[in-house]
Amino acid sequence: MVNTIVFDFGDVFINKNSKAKDEALASLGLTEWNEDLEELEKQLETGVISAKEFLKGLQPYTDNASLEAIKEAWNAGIENFPLYRLEFLQKLATSYRLFLLSNTDPIHIEKFEHDSGASFYSDFYQCFEKVYFSHEIGIRKPDEGAYNYLINNHDIQPKRTLLVDDKKFNTDAAEALGFKVWRLQKGSEDVTELFDKKIIPFNEA
C-alpha cells in the first residue's frame, strides 16, 4: 500500500508554456537551443553555475540583449498555479507523506515565489515533508541519484511510494527503481484527478 507520494512541480502544480519561452527568447535573437546551451541549462539546474552566470552564458546567443531582458524571456514560460491544486494538496497531506522533487533553477523559483506571494508559496511548501529542487541538491531526474537522495534521506520504500511526473524519462527511471508511477498527461489530466483515476485509493494510507 502506498504511504508516500513524490511530486514533480512544473506542469503538475504550476502551469508552464514552453512555446511562450521559446518565442520570448527568439525575440531576443536566440532562435536555436544547441548542445552548448543544453549543457549550460544542466549546470544551472544542478547548481554548478549561478543564475547570473547562466544569463551571461546566454547573452552571446542573443542580439546583445540585457541580462534583465534575457531573464524575463527565460521566465516567460512560467504561468499560473491554480489555488484548487494547493487545496487538494493540503487535504492530501493529512493522509500521506509528501515530497517535492523538481528539476528546476533559481530563476524560475524566484519568479514563482514573487508571483504567488509569500503566503501562497509558504502554504505550498509546508504541505511537504521536504522540498527538493535539483539546483539545491546538485542532481537532476532521471539520474537515479536524485531518487536515491530521497530514499536514503527519508527511509522511503519505493514499492510503497508513488511518483507523479509529466516526463516519461522521469517516470521510467523511477519505475526501474521500484516506484509506482503516474505519468501525468499535460493538458488532458490534472493532479487533482489522482483518486478519480484510481491511481491510488484515497483510503489507502
Side-chain angles (χ1 to χ4, degrees), residues 140-185:
R140 300 193 304 182
K141 299 172 292 183
D143 191 313
E144 68 177 42
Y147 307 100
N148 286 332
Y149 197 93
L150 271 176
I151 293 169
N152 297 333
N153 283 290
H154 298 283
D155 192 28
I156 287 174
Q157 296 176 289
K159 66 182 180 180
R160 300 193 66 189
T161 302
L162 174 72
L163 179 114
V164 181
D165 200 297
D166 65 306
K167 300 288 192 301
K168 184 177 186 298
F169 48 82
N170 290 338
T171 55
D172 284 352
E175 197 166 29
L177 291 171
F179 287 83
K180 298 179 183 301
V181 300
W182 176 24
R183 182 191 168 203
L184 191 149
Q185 304 295 314

Side-chain angles (χ1 to χ4, degrees), residues 2-3 15 19 47 72 105 152 180 182 189 193 195 200:
V2 168
N3 61 11
N15 294 319
K19 183 180 179 182
E72 186 174 336
D105 64 69
N152 297 333
K180 298 179 183 301
W182 176 24
E189 294 180 323
E193 298 172 330
F195 301 113
I200 52 173

Side-chain angles (χ1 to χ4, degrees), residues 22-156:
D22 292 344
E23 289 177 348
L25 290 170
S27 73
L28 301 180
L30 202 169
T31 56
E32 183 179 352
W33 198 258
N34 59 33
E35 289 184 8
D36 289 341
L37 293 176
E38 187 67 33
E39 176 60 26
L40 198 68
E41 183 179 2
K42 179 181 179 181
Q43 291 179 2
L44 177 68
E45 285 195 345
T46 54
V48 175
I49 60 174
S50 68
K52 188 173 183 179
E53 288 171 322
F54 173 73
L55 296 173
K56 283 186 173 180
L58 294 187
Q59 199 168 33
Y61 295 89
T62 70
D63 297 327
N64 200 32
S66 68
L67 297 185
E68 191 56 40
I70 298 170
K71 180 180 179 180
E72 186 174 336
W74 183 248
N75 279 332
I78 304 299
E79 297 190 329
N80 66 315
F81 185 148
L83 176 61
Y84 71 86
R85 290 182 185 154
L86 173 60
E87 293 172 340
F88 169 77
L89 191 66
Q90 288 172 324
K91 292 178 182 177
L92 198 63
T94 64
S95 300
Y96 292 88
R97 296 179 70 191
L98 303 182
F99 294 88
L100 191 71
L101 181 64
S102 172
N103 291 349
T104 189
D105 64 69
I107 302 172
H108 284 162
I109 295 304
E110 179 187 56
K111 167 73 171 172
F112 157 62
E113 292 182 352
H114 175 269
D115 288 355
S116 64
S119 177
F120 186 96
Y121 75 72
S122 294
D123 285 348
F124 174 58
Y125 292 155
Q126 286 171 10
C127 291
F128 301 99
E129 192 169 318
K130 190 71 176 179
V131 171
Y132 287 116
F133 294 132
S134 58
H135 67 273
E136 294 176 337
I137 64 174
I139 197 164
R140 300 193 304 182
K141 299 172 292 183
D143 191 313
E144 68 177 42
Y147 307 100
N148 286 332
Y149 197 93
L150 271 176
I151 293 169
N152 297 333
N153 283 290
H154 298 283
D155 192 28
I156 287 174

